């Protein structure tokens, strides 16, 4: 907590800073995954699985032919087995009105590609997978990008950011 003017500057109930906790890895919470609310967990998980080349956590795969498929929670992992995205069922999900702020986007994913040719390829892929194009700024000389809405309406960006 910050000391207020005229307040007690020696209070000990402040948030810890780097000098308080040093470089201990366990001193910070670890990000496990980003969770999306959705009315259709399988549909949204499939969209991101195919868009990002991820795999399901064991047990979350789609059922065999004709099996019931109405999950409440699904997790996608990197090919190396690290959780990255999760999808939880909600009854209702108001769609963002971005760029208007009547219903804010709350959060979004930033996805990068190496060049404008790959940006164009990923635009095509995202649209084929069910994304809606919200903003086309592919001709911006400083940061070519597209903003999409996924099938549940969550915005995400794909932009050029050359990899080191």
């Amino acid at each position: 907590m910050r000391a207020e003017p005229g307040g007690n500057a020696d209070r000990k109930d402040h948030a810890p800073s780097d000098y308080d906790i040093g470089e201990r890895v366990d001193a910070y919470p670890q990000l496990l995954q980003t969770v999306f609310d959705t009315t259709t967990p399988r549909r949204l998980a499939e969209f991101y699985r195919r868009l990002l080349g991820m795999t399901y956590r064991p047990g979350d795969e789609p059922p065999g032919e004709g099996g019931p498929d109405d999950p409440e929670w699904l997790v996608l992992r990197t090919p190396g087995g690290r959780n990255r995205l999760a999808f939880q069922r909600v009854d209702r999900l108001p769609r963002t009105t971005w760029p208007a702020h009547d219903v804010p986007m709350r959060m979004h994913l930033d996805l990068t590609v190496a060049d404008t040719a790959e940006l164009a390829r990923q635009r095509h892929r995202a649209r084929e997978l069910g994304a809606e194009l919200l903003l086309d700024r592919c001709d911006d000389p400083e940061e070519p990008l597209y903003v999409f809405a996924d099938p549940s309406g969550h915005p995400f960006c794909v932009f050029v950011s050359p990899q080191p």
Side-chain angles (χ1 to χ4, degrees):
M1 171 178 277
R2 285 186 160 159
E4 296 296 323
N8 183 351
D10 293 326
R11 291 183 61 174
K12 298 293 183 188
D13 61 345
H14 61 84
S17 63
D18 290 337
Y19 68 86
D20 293 323
I21 56 181
E23 295 297 317
R24 291 189 355 246
V25 173
D26 65 343
Y28 299 98
Q30 299 300 302
L31 179 64
L32 176 63
Q33 60 206 2
T34 299
V35 181
F36 287 89
D37 285 351
T38 179
T39 57
T40 55
R42 179 67 67 200
R43 180 176 180 220
L44 193 58
E46 272 298 295
F47 172 81
Y48 281 106
R49 182 189 69 77
R50 294 176 64 203
L51 182 69
L52 301 174
M54 294 183 168
T55 60
Y56 284 103
R57 173 180 65 178
D60 285 354
E61 301 89 351
E65 188 75 28
D69 190 23
D70 196 24
E72 294 292 320
W73 179 268
L74 295 170
V75 175
L76 291 179
R77 293 179 164 179
T78 64
R82 299 195 65 154
N83 289 14
R84 283 294 180 252
L85 300 176
F87 307 88
Q88 68 180 354
R89 179 180 305 283
V90 295
D91 292 332
R92 191 175 68 83
L93 185 67
R95 188 177 177 101
T96 180
T97 56
W98 183 90
H101 295 290
D102 300 323
V103 179
M105 72 169 80
R106 297 178 195 99
M107 55 92 46
H108 69 274
L109 297 179
D110 280 345
L111 308 173
T112 63
V113 295
D115 56 43
T116 56
E118 187 62 16
L119 181 65
R121 189 176 88 78
Q122 293 302 329
R123 174 190 180 187
H124 181 73
R125 286 189 67 243
R127 295 296 306 271
E128 279 187 336
L129 294 171
E132 176 188 348
L133 182 64
L134 300 178
L135 175 69
D136 179 341
R137 209 175 74 195
C138 68
D139 57 354
D140 184 315
E142 292 183 30
E143 187 178 64
L145 70 82
Y146 295 114
V147 179
F148 297 96
D150 69 24
S152 287
H154 304 101
F156 67 96
C157 301
V158 181
F159 61 95
V160 174
S161 179
Q163 308 299 317

